[in-house]
Amino acid sequence: MIAGMGKEAFKVGLIGAGGRGRGAVMDALAANENIVLWSIGDLFPDHMATALEKLEAAVPKKNYQVTKDRTFVGFDSYKGVIASGVDVVFLTTPPAFRPEQFEAAINAGKHVFMEKPVATDPTGIRSILATSKLADQKKLNVVAGTQRRHDKAYRECVKRIQDGQMGDVVACYGYWNQGGIWAIPRDPKWTDMEYQLRNWNYFTWMSGDCIVEQHIHNVDVCNWVMKAHPVKAVSLAGRQVRTADVYGHIFDHFATEY
């Protein structure tokens, strides 16, 4: 039991302290007032400083129990968070790091929330699948950030479709049309690695590109409705508008038939 908290209070370790990580903490607190933010890890010291400032201001005092010895910076910061005595780990770093961090959390017996996508390449996906089996064996809870599955309107709509209220589903179409997202100008002091890490959305090895990083939501809904997964895909993609260096090497349009 944690002093001042109910008997069901549990400690959260946040790995990846950017905007999505901070948002995940606030979402969790909105769902359960007995959550305690216990430990934070991030790659960059400036991200950590911002996160500590914003979270300490936003999280109620009884729920904020982060101490200096439970903050960790660097590529191995996730190891410190996992070993800090937490009950559940939030994985909100760029998705390229998800498989390794997920495996470490499950091996340590921690429950996990991990953002989507859970990996960016076949090797990462195979790792996630193997670790998921281990999580089942250990009876650990794992929740992914495919949020449509938790939306009441979507759940009711899919239920009615699968109940046959709309007839037989013979095809499913998903669209994602989006404008620009954030980009951080390059600091001359940064290495190529740091520049890519700070702009991870624009580099396929870290994000999986737009169809994985963003369109995953609509593809997930199609799989959900169809009660199946595609067995083949034919696709085209290209760069016609976002061709400047700031856009890394991701495509700016896709069309895929599954």
Side-chain angles (χ1 to χ4, degrees):
M1 185 182 296
I2 301 172
M5 302 294 291
K7 64 181 180 180
E8 295 183 5
F10 56 95
K11 305 171 189 173
V12 167
L14 176 62
I15 300 172
R20 179 73 286 269
R22 298 193 303 272
V25 170
M26 301 312 297
D27 289 343
L29 284 167
N32 186 338
E33 64 179 12
N34 285 326
I35 285 176
V36 170
L37 181 57
W38 186 255
S39 178
I40 304 176
D42 196 272
L43 177 58
F44 297 114
D46 58 319
H47 283 187
M48 177 62 75
T50 299
L52 291 173
E53 178 183 358
K54 290 183 178 295
L55 286 169
E56 188 171 8
V59 175
K61 189 173 181 180
K62 71 183 181 71
N63 302 95
Y64 185 87
Q65 298 193 19
V66 178
T67 57
K68 186 176 181 179
D69 64 322
R70 292 199 293 271
T71 60
F72 306 92
V73 173
F75 281 103
D76 288 341
S77 58
Y78 72 96
K79 296 178 181 178
V81 174
I82 291 170
S84 69
V86 295
D87 303 305
V88 58
V89 170
F90 288 6
L91 301 180
T92 53
T93 59
F97 302 105
R98 199 92 70 233
E100 182 178 21
Q101 293 171 355
F102 181 45
E103 181 179 16
I106 295 302
N107 282 339
K110 309 301 179 183
H111 303 291
V112 171
F113 165 77
M114 58 178 171
E115 258 302 346
K116 57 78 206 164
V118 296
T120 62
D121 56 36
T123 299
I125 288 296
R126 285 191 287 268
S127 172
I128 290 288
L129 292 172
T131 302
S132 297
K133 291 180 180 178
L134 180 61
D136 286 341
Q137 294 169 12
K138 291 190 168 190
K139 301 187 185 306
L140 294 170
N141 295 306
V142 179
V143 177
T146 42
Q147 73 261 37
R148 307 290 194 271
R149 301 280 183 144
H150 307 283
D151 185 296
K152 291 181 180 179
Y154 270 90
R155 290 163 67 94
E156 180 64 20
C157 182
V158 173
K159 178 179 181 297
R160 294 186 181 207
I161 293 171
Q162 293 179 342
D163 284 347
Q165 294 184 33
M166 296 185 186
D168 295 332
V169 179
V170 296
C172 194
Y173 299 86
Y175 300 90
W176 191 289
N177 299 312
Q178 180 174 325
I181 58 171
W182 53 266
I184 301 174
R186 183 159 191 162
D187 186 319
K189 299 190 297 292
W190 292 347
T191 63
D192 285 346
M193 175 62 83
E194 181 166 357
Y195 175 69
Q196 291 191 24
L197 287 165
R198 289 183 181 272
N199 288 278
W200 61 270
N201 276 289
Y202 297 109
F203 295 93
T204 305
W205 73 271
M206 266 187 292
S207 69
D209 211 324
C210 302
I211 202 167
V212 173
E213 214 292 306
Q214 286 293 330
H215 197 51
I216 182 176
H217 291 300
N218 291 10
V219 173
D220 178 54
V221 171
C222 291
N223 291 340
W224 183 14
V225 168
M226 302 296 284
K227 296 184 179 180
H229 292 85
V231 296
K232 182 165 61 173
V234 179
S235 187
L236 63 83
R239 285 168 67 105
Q240 288 183 301
V241 178
R242 299 179 188 176
T243 57
D245 289 345
V246 69
Y247 300 116
H249 55 237
I250 64 172
F251 293 129
D252 63 15
H253 67 273
F254 299 85
T256 303
E257 182 176 346
Y258 294 101

